[in-house]
Amino acid sequence: MSGVFGGTTEVIGHRGAGRGVVGRARENTPESFAAAVEAGADWVEIDVRRTADDALVLYHNAALDDGRAVVDLTAAECARAGLAGLEEGLAAVPDGVGLDVDVKTVMEDAVDAPARRTASLLMPYLRREAARRRVFVCSFDPGVLLSVHEGAPGVPTAWMPFVRNPLDQAVAGAVGLGCPIVAVDVRSFGLTADGPLPGRRPVEYTVDLAHRAGLEVASWCPDPREAAVFAAAGMDAVVVDDVPGAVAALRGPGPDGTG
């Protein structure tokens, strides 16, 4: 089946090279994106939020470590706090590397003017990036996905349910939302210490059924061993914190012994 991914299990660097600080690179920064690409990632995932003055910055959490909400800060205040702007981040991702845009909406999107909503501010960037690279949008917020279908119809979307969300609702929900991708937390598959649950389908069954439904399947955040299990089951992509480990697990070590 042709689709967003390349036919073999592709590696997406989570927030760049991984959560937190990996090496010396902090997540959601140009340095982290460069490290992910250097380690062999096919795609880079970025987290996008809006500011008080309608700029877009790259940050996962709703608030800074000091408790200030990102949506209450200006772009200048965010920059002083060390946050990268979206434009800065995009410039650091080479054209040949795919872009996974995780859109973090805010409560204020429910009441602010439509033009100020996070998804609306993002649309020009999505249309531009889709003209020069592979791009897809994922979000916990189904409203974002519907907005992308309308405002940037050439950009694929991924329904991303919450941690440990049942696989039944994840797969059926992606189809219902018209998304070509379903992105599922690794813990939903029961490979971790959570253990099996009654009625939970095997990985192979889930991936095969999703493919029969016309979906591609990604999972966040498997470790290298879990990534190899997913690849053996035919999963299309993995969003990982250990890019070198996942690359080695999926493709084998290179001539120098690294992935």
Side-chain angles (χ1 to χ4, degrees):
M1 137 178 128
S2 63
V4 177
F5 302 110
T8 58
T9 306
E10 295 196 304
V11 174
I12 305 175
H14 189 217
R15 310 179 197 175
R19 282 178 286 191
V21 177
V22 177
R24 296 184 177 180
R26 180 170 54 83
E27 66 177 50
N28 277 310
T29 61
E31 295 77 16
S32 186
F33 304 156
V37 173
E38 178 67 21
D42 304 292
W43 299 70
V44 167
E45 185 228 28
I46 63 174
D47 293 312
V48 176
R49 290 188 171 277
R50 74 173 170 105
T51 66
D53 52 352
D54 299 341
L56 294 172
V57 295
L58 304 181
Y59 200 67
H60 179 269
N61 295 340
L64 304 181
D65 291 343
D66 62 13
R68 291 181 294 165
V70 173
V71 73
D72 292 338
L73 303 176
T74 66
E77 289 172 317
C78 288
R80 287 195 291 271
L83 277 59
L86 175 59
E87 194 70 63
E88 178 188 3
L90 294 176
V93 181
D95 288 357
V97 175
L99 187 68
D100 169 5
V101 183
D102 185 348
V103 183
K104 304 297 189 184
T105 51
V106 291
M107 193 181 303
E108 290 77 6
D109 283 333
V111 294
D112 285 344
R116 295 195 64 205
R117 294 172 186 164
T118 308
S120 298
L121 296 170
L122 182 62
M123 290 301 165
Y125 295 95
L126 290 179
R127 291 190 287 263
R128 185 190 73 187
E129 292 301 309
R132 69 189 188 100
R133 70 166 87 243
R134 294 189 296 170
V135 179
F136 74 91
V137 170
C138 64
S139 186
F140 294 123
D141 181 351
V144 165
L145 308 175
L146 298 176
S147 294
V148 173
H149 296 169
E150 181 177 349
V155 176
T157 54
W159 169 226
M160 185 169 66
F162 284 96
V163 171
R164 296 183 177 87
N165 196 90
L167 295 169
D168 292 357
Q169 285 76 34
V171 174
V175 171
L177 286 167
C179 299
I181 307 167
V182 61
V184 186
D185 168 43
V186 63
R187 285 159 287 192
S188 292
F189 289 94
L191 301 185
T192 63
D194 289 356
L197 290 177
R200 177 183 274 153
R201 303 294 197 177
V203 175
E204 293 81 2
Y205 180 94
T206 302
V207 172
D208 177 68
L209 187 143
H211 285 171
R212 287 190 282 124
L215 297 173
E216 291 181 282
V217 186
S219 182
W220 49 277
C221 295
D223 63 26
R225 179 192 63 82
E226 293 162 334
V229 171
F230 288 157
M235 192 172 290
D236 303 282
V238 287
V239 186
V240 301
D241 290 311
D242 180 356
V243 174
V247 168
L250 300 187
R251 301 170 192 162
D256 60 354
T258 62

